[in-house]
Amino acid sequence: MGFALVAVAVLALLAAVHRYVWRRFVGDTTKAGSPLRRAGTVAAYVLPLLSVGALVSGRTGAPFWLQQVLAWPGYLWLAALLYLTLALLAGEPARPLLRRLLARRAAASPAEAAREPGAVSAEPAPAANASALTTAAPPTPAPLAAAPAAPSRRLFVARAVGGAAAVAGLGTTGYGAYGVLRGPRVKRVTVPLARLPRSAHGFRIAVVSDIHLGPVLGRAHTQRIVDTVNRTQPDLIAVVGDLVDGSVADLGRAAEPLARLRSRHGAFFVTGNHEYYSGAAEWVDHVRELGLHPLENARVEIDGFDLAGVNDIAGESEGQGPDFGRALGDRDRHRAAVLMAHQPVVIDEAVEHGVDLQLSGHTHGGQLWPGNYIAELSNPTVAGLERYGDTHLYVTRGAGAWGPPVRVGAPSDITVVELASRRA
């Protein structure tokens, strides 16, 4: 019942937003019955249907080709709808101000006033024709239908504000899509660890998260990420979850470039919540076949520190959730520990188990502004490096995007974390 109420509320909100967008972009700027109004009205029905189809097709087992057909227009429209709506709302205060300004200009200029529909000229008749005025019939005012076809002030303002909002909203969406499709950029962060030996000073970990292979981002996206990681020449690669949005059958080929990841100590993987929507066990087996080392509540010893990984908390629904005792319980506390955990919210357990550095993703940095403010409500850190007690937490914004292949205010990244010994 609770889910049904939330679904109804979301659908009602989407309907209200679409009605508002239609009114401002179509109803206020086009004539009734015109081809432009008919086209805009059709789009107002078709685009939200495509978005709903994109959201539910994967969960309902639709063929992957159909998911791909729906995903591009459906997801892009969701992002465009957000920024078109925000641009329209930002332009609302300008509407009455522009109308008032135009009205004042018209009142101050007789010539301008004369061009208004129904306006009467204030110019006196020439003196030479004074005698004719006494005998000639007064001119008959032109009927209203014969008035000049220039748009009214209200229509002019609606088109001006709507046009500006369209440029701003669609421009923002396009730029955000370009940022995702060009691939992530490299960030570099240095983290000092008290227990890291001098021999491990300068050890570099390439942190990759939230690749989100699916109906939009495929094999070419994976290859861009692999090429970017390999160019950093890391000592170790940490893939911290949300690799996929779909099954191995549909996306196995898209993940194949991961086999070409190169580093001195190999590449390691932990599950994210989206793996548990996509068949986590099969994906763990598949990434192992590609040469990555899954850390399922497990730990390995690296030169100078322990590298541990825990399953995502979404695995609790399958009895495969995070087990910190198994991953970290019997380790030597004199050694530094680096933990791979998809969601930042497990930082309290990491602190309790004496972890020096936790590497996480999940948040996408908010992905679509102002989503970062929403992400802050449920995550201790949305992006970047912060300290909790003696434990550092680093959260990457991720290398891909979920849903709309668009990022605004939260560019995608691959982070090279360089460990620094305080004994050096």
Side-chain angles (χ1 to χ4, degrees):
M1 179 63 71
F3 175 79
L5 290 175
V6 171
V8 169
V10 170
L11 289 175
L13 176 62
L14 284 175
V17 170
H18 278 91
R19 172 64 182 175
Y20 169 69
V21 170
W22 176 89
R23 181 165 64 87
R24 286 307 193 204
F25 280 124
V26 181
D28 290 351
T29 62
T30 60
K31 295 179 180 179
S34 68
L36 283 176
R37 178 167 291 200
R38 286 195 294 268
T41 302
V42 169
Y45 283 97
V46 171
L47 289 171
L49 289 176
L50 289 172
S51 296
V52 172
L55 288 168
V56 305
S57 59
R59 300 294 180 88
T60 57
F64 190 64
W65 67 264
L66 180 58
Q67 296 179 41
Q68 291 176 303
V69 168
L70 294 172
W72 274 102
Y75 282 134
L76 279 175
W77 172 243
L78 287 177
L81 178 66
L82 170 63
Y83 292 110
L84 288 171
T85 303
L86 290 176
L88 285 172
L89 292 173
E92 289 296 340
R95 294 175 184 273
L97 295 176
L98 283 174
R99 286 197 295 267
R100 193 173 302 125
L101 176 63
L102 291 173
R104 287 178 179 175
R105 290 183 60 184
S109 171
E112 184 91 12
R115 285 198 293 270
E116 288 291 320
V120 178
S121 175
E123 291 291 331
N129 294 335
S131 60
L133 289 173
T134 61
T135 59
T140 302
L144 191 60
S152 68
R153 286 191 294 269
R154 185 178 296 275
L155 181 58
F156 173 80
V157 169
R159 289 177 174 175
V161 175
V167 170
L170 296 178
T172 300
T173 304
Y175 182 77
Y178 167 75
V180 171
L181 297 179
R182 76 181 176 189
R185 293 297 184 254
V186 176
K187 290 181 61 178
R188 298 181 185 275
V189 176
T190 299
V191 183
L193 302 183
R195 288 179 287 191
L196 189 73
R198 194 178 306 173
S199 61
H201 180 77
F203 193 98
R204 291 172 298 114
I205 303 174
V207 183
V208 189
S209 184
D210 300 281
I211 295 174
H212 285 289
L213 299 179
V216 174
L217 301 175
R219 186 184 178 97
H221 178 61
T222 312
Q223 188 62 59
R224 283 192 295 269
I225 290 170
V226 169
D227 291 343
T228 303
V229 169
N230 287 345
R231 280 195 297 268
T232 68
Q233 298 182 325
D235 297 305
L236 183 146
I237 300 166
V239 182
V240 287
D242 278 8
L243 171 64
V244 292
D245 285 304
S247 67
V248 172
D250 291 333
L251 295 172
R253 184 175 179 277
E256 285 177 357
L258 295 173
R260 295 190 282 276
L261 286 170
R262 295 289 179 266
S263 69
R264 190 157 56 97
H265 291 276
F268 295 83
F269 171 81
V270 294
T271 54
N273 52 309
H274 282 248
E275 270 71 60
Y276 292 96
Y277 312 148
S278 308
E282 290 184 354
W283 274 111
V284 167
D285 289 341
H286 190 64
V287 298
R288 185 180 287 112
E289 292 171 0
L290 294 175
L292 281 72
H293 308 288
L295 290 177
E296 299 181 275
N297 298 321
R299 180 180 76 252
V300 294
E301 291 188 1
I302 306 295
D303 293 345
F305 65 95
D306 294 334
L307 179 70
V310 292
N311 296 344
D312 187 72
I313 56 179
E316 292 174 349
S317 61
E318 303 178 9
Q320 299 292 330
D323 188 336
F324 284 83
R326 183 173 153 198
L328 294 162
D330 59 348
R331 73 179 190 87
D332 181 358
R333 289 293 188 107
H334 292 94
R335 288 172 57 85
V338 176
L339 173 70
M340 296 168 56
H342 178 64
Q343 298 196 40
V345 294
V346 300
I347 184 62
D348 291 337
E349 288 86 348
V351 172
E352 182 181 341
H353 286 82
V355 168
D356 296 86
L357 170 63
Q358 176 179 319
L359 303 173
S360 297
H362 182 64
T363 68
H364 297 206
Q367 185 168 325
L368 296 171
W369 184 92
N372 54 306
Y373 298 112
I374 299 173
E376 287 175 357
L377 300 177
S378 55
N379 293 279
T381 298
V382 174
L385 181 67
E386 292 188 359
R387 186 167 179 166
Y388 295 84
D390 293 329
T391 302
H392 296 275
L393 169 63
Y394 181 76
V395 181
T396 172
R397 292 188 179 98
W402 180 80
V406 179
R407 282 176 171 266
V408 177
S412 57
D413 71 69
I414 292 167
T415 304
V416 176
V417 175
E418 183 172 324
L419 306 182
S421 172
R422 291 180 176 174
R423 306 173 191 176

